């Protein structure tokens, strides 16, 4: 007697992120890696160590010619929307790195394609899967912190992306906001239950000057303020290469009439987070390392796909995140 047939996945782009997500998906035992496509022989060789039986093919066209149930996309941002739409229209489920699209219309087009094809669509919004953020969201959703009136979001990265396309606004869709800020905006909206945003204002800088004066560049520092229709003020600050004395400063802080809660990185780490609940001047620990959260979103997608390949309407919320990013960019 045999068990259920596991969905067969094709992996498009198997650099560090793509391989990390592949490893997490395969570890669930819910899916198989049937094919790999990447222009680098070195990265393909590394990926085949995880999936030695996977067929190596040159590109998306070749993947779509195979008998696959889904495509996992970890390619440059400019390609995400087009590749996702092609895969969805071919009848495959899709798990894509963020951002799903460079703009809100691009993002909406992918979601529309998934709905029309009735295929599962996932985006790698990994910070939702930290233990700390899940605990904080529960407190907010249960009303334990009272009415949330302020949210402070920070993601300062002491380094910058190492691929040239990140610095091309047409290819990337923007700079540090679409690279880092997308996670923060998503966390705020997801935690608050996706409230309507009434106001957005932003200041974008490149090389220490207003972005408007930095022709041809993308922002490397940004400060934005968003106000919900209910009056909650959400403040965002993010950057590349900020000289802050550590590798990273990452935080998502929620303040309500009955208390507060915060997720903060520990000792400048990109991966170790502590979550606390506040009552006046006292704090209560909610979560701390170790927490192997980095690829839980990929694992969750694999397990969901094994249950059903059909469209999940929850993904439509990603269009609200993209719309806020467009307003930060003034487009």
């Amino acid at each position: 007697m045999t068990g259920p047939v596991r969905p067969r996945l094709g992996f498009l782009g198997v650099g560090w992120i793509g391989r990390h997500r592949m490893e997490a998906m395969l570890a669930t035992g819910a899916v198989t890696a049937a094919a790999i496509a990447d222009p680098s022989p070195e990265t393909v060789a590394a990926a085949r160590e995880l999936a030695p039986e996977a067929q190596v093919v040159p590109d998306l066209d070749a993947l779509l010619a195979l008998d696959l149930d889904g495509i996992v996309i970890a390619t440059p941002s400019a390609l995400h929307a087009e590749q996702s739409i092609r895969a969805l229209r071919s009848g495959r489920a899709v798990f894509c790195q963020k951002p799903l699209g460079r703009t809100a219309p691009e993002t909406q087009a992918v979601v529309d394609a998934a709905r029309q094809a009735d295929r599962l669509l996932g985006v790698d919004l990994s910070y939702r899967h930290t233990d700390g953020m899940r605990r904080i969201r529960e407190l907010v959703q249960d009303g334990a912190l009272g009415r949330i009136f302020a949210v402070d979001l920070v993601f300062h990265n002491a380094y910058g992306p190492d691929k040239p396309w990140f610095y091309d606004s047409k290819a990337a869709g923007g700079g540090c906001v679409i690279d880092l800020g997308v996670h923060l905006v998503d966390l705020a909206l997801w935690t608050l239950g996706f409230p309507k945003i009434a106001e957005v204002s932003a200041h974008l800088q490149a090389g220490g000057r207003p972005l408007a004066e930095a022709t041809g560049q993308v922002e490397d520092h940004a400060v934005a303020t968003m106000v919900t229709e209910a009056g909650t003020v959400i403040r965002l600050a993010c950057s590349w290469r900020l000289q802050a004395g550590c590798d990273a400063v990452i935080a998502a802080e929620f303040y309500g009439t009955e208390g507060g809660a915060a997720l903060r990185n520990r000792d400048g780490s990109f991966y170790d987070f502590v979550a606390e609940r506040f009552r006046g001047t006292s704090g209560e620990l909610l979560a701390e390392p170790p927490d192997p959260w980095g690829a839980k979103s990929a694992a969750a997608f694999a397990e969901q796909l094994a249950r059903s390949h059909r469209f999940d309407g929850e993904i439509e919320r990603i269009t609200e995140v993209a719309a806020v990013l467009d307003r930060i960019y003034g487009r």
Side-chain angles (χ1 to χ4, degrees):
M1 183 174 180
T2 60
V5 177
R6 292 179 293 172
R8 292 163 47 85
L9 298 181
F11 290 81
L12 182 62
V14 287
W16 183 86
I17 289 179
R19 289 198 307 277
H20 192 228
R21 286 7 179 205
M22 174 193 284
E23 183 175 20
M25 288 181 168
L26 296 181
T28 67
V31 297
T32 61
I36 295 167
D38 192 289
S40 167
E42 292 78 15
T43 57
V44 167
R48 292 202 73 205
E49 292 182 9
L50 298 172
E53 303 301 320
Q55 182 176 349
V56 177
V57 298
D59 51 30
L60 178 59
D61 287 334
L63 286 175
L64 296 182
L66 300 176
D67 179 20
L68 300 175
D69 300 290
I71 304 292
V72 179
I73 297 173
T75 57
S77 296
L79 305 176
H80 288 179
E82 178 189 2
Q83 291 174 338
S84 295
I85 289 170
R86 288 186 61 203
L88 290 162
R89 287 177 175 171
S90 76
R92 274 70 170 208
V94 167
F95 181 78
C96 186
Q97 282 302 305
K98 57 78 187 171
L100 183 59
R102 292 167 293 181
T103 64
E106 271 195 358
T107 303
Q108 185 67 61
V110 182
V111 173
D112 289 345
R115 188 190 311 105
Q116 291 160 8
D118 192 21
R119 286 297 177 266
L120 185 64
L121 171 62
V123 180
D124 195 5
L125 296 169
S126 51
Y127 290 83
R128 288 188 184 188
H129 292 264
T130 58
D131 286 343
M133 273 312 309
R134 290 186 170 269
R135 294 292 305 278
I136 290 170
R137 184 173 185 262
E138 288 173 3
L139 291 175
V140 172
Q141 293 286 307
D142 290 345
L145 305 182
R147 182 178 61 82
I148 303 298
F149 58 85
V151 180
D152 289 343
L153 308 167
V154 177
F155 199 147
H156 297 308
N157 184 338
Y159 312 99
D162 60 357
K163 302 291 191 301
W165 63 262
F166 275 97
Y167 303 93
D168 180 337
S169 60
K170 291 183 179 179
C176 62
V177 170
I178 201 165
D179 179 37
L180 308 176
V182 61
H183 285 298
L184 300 174
V185 172
D186 176 70
L187 283 183
L189 298 184
W190 176 69
T191 301
L192 296 175
F194 286 90
K196 298 295 183 182
I197 302 298
E199 304 172 26
V200 176
S201 61
H203 298 275
L204 309 181
Q205 297 173 301
R209 297 181 178 277
L211 186 61
E213 299 177 11
T215 305
Q217 297 186 51
V218 295
E219 81 283 355
D220 56 23
H221 184 272
V223 175
T225 301
M226 296 147 275
V227 184
T228 72
E229 287 185 348
T232 303
V233 178
I234 305 169
R235 299 187 302 175
L236 161 71
C238 63
S239 68
W240 292 331
R241 294 184 299 278
L242 190 72
Q243 300 183 55
C246 60
D247 287 344
V249 180
I250 308 171
E253 304 169 347
F254 297 80
Y255 299 102
T257 54
E258 303 299 326
L263 179 81
R264 296 170 179 148
N265 67 322
R266 173 180 281 179
D267 300 327
S269 172
F270 285 101
Y271 307 105
D272 294 335
F273 290 92
V274 173
E276 295 179 280
R277 177 179 181 175
F278 308 125
R279 295 181 176 90
T281 58
S282 65
E284 170 193 345
L285 184 67
L286 296 174
E288 64 179 336
D291 174 20
W293 57 273
K296 283 183 178 178
S297 57
F301 175 85
E303 292 169 341
Q304 184 175 2
L305 180 62
R307 294 190 299 269
S308 173
H309 61 247
R310 301 194 65 180
F311 180 72
D312 182 346
E314 181 62 27
I315 194 61
E316 297 195 17
R317 294 296 195 180
I318 193 66
T319 63
E320 298 177 48
V321 176
V324 172
L325 295 185
D326 271 7
R327 291 171 72 178
I328 290 174
Y329 282 115
R331 59 194 182 204

